[in-house]
Amino acid sequence: MRTYQVDTVEKEEIKLVGFSITESLNNVLETKIVRTLREDLTNRMIEIENRKGPGVFLIQIYPHDGQWTPHVPFQHVVAFEVTSYGEIPTGMITHTVSPGQFIKIIHKGAESQIGTTYDFINKTYGVRPIDIEYWNDIHTLENQNGEIDIYIPTK
């Protein structure tokens, strides 16, 4: 049985600039669209004003009726954090994550194995309206010793 490092943390507002799509999990896995958006984003990172660093965020916003399944479309935001919004590059959007208390779970291992971590999260905390992944280095996502920070709101 896998064990997880779990902490409760306070997060300040997160301002993001990047791409947004609405797709089901099944379509995302089949088409690898989030991977494509992540690559496009990093190729255009120089266009993003006031970027905080090299890490990339994935914000997943689920339907508010709680009826989420892998077939139900939901919003995915792939973006860089910025200190403030400047001129937004063509085809990109802004998104703001409200401040608050979050449960932080660290997924250890390849990104392709992250489903087991989400199984743990959903069994332990239930399906939440939003979750946040933070990829410190997208080039190491398939490394067996890689880490992905996952944040879910406490309420």
Side-chain angles (χ1 to χ4, degrees):
M1 182 174 172
R2 182 178 257 197
T3 59
Y4 295 95
Q5 180 180 338
V6 177
D7 295 303
T8 301
V9 298
E10 291 289 330
K11 297 288 285 175
E12 294 182 9
E13 179 180 79
I14 304 170
K15 292 181 173 85
L16 300 163
V17 173
F19 298 113
S20 176
I21 59 164
T22 300
E23 283 290 343
S24 71
L25 179 60
N26 287 344
N27 284 347
V28 165
L29 295 174
E30 183 179 318
T31 64
K32 302 190 182 339
I33 185 66
V34 168
R35 179 180 295 166
T36 301
L37 290 175
R38 186 171 62 208
E39 290 168 2
D40 290 350
L41 182 69
T42 56
N43 289 337
R44 294 181 61 192
M45 68 192 315
I46 196 165
E47 297 176 42
I48 299 174
E49 295 178 2
N50 308 316
R51 189 170 40 84
K52 276 185 110 169
V56 176
F57 282 86
L58 169 63
I59 313 300
Q60 299 178 112
I61 305 162
Y62 302 100
H64 295 292
D65 61 9
Q67 301 301 314
W68 181 84
T69 70
H71 303 289
V72 174
F74 61 97
Q75 184 180 7
H76 309 256
V77 177
V78 180
F80 283 111
E81 184 175 9
V82 295
T83 55
S84 61
Y85 295 123
E87 187 173 329
I88 307 306
T90 303
M92 293 191 193
I93 56 95
T94 63
H95 183 82
T96 304
V97 176
S98 298
Q101 189 177 68
F102 291 82
I103 297 165
K104 176 183 177 185
I105 296 124
I106 298 175
H107 167 76
K108 295 184 181 196
E111 180 190 26
S112 58
Q113 299 166 348
I114 203 165
T116 57
T117 302
Y118 277 102
D119 288 344
F120 164 78
I121 291 169
N122 293 336
K123 286 178 187 166
T124 307
Y125 303 102
V127 175
R128 300 294 176 137
I130 182 175
D131 63 58
I132 302 166
E133 291 183 22
Y134 178 72
W135 308 312
N136 188 48
D137 181 355
I138 67 163
H139 300 99
T140 63
L141 288 176
E142 282 306 312
N143 292 356
Q144 289 303 314
N145 60 350
E147 293 186 356
I148 298 171
D149 296 341
I150 301 171
Y151 300 90
I152 59 170
T154 56
K155 298 177 183 181

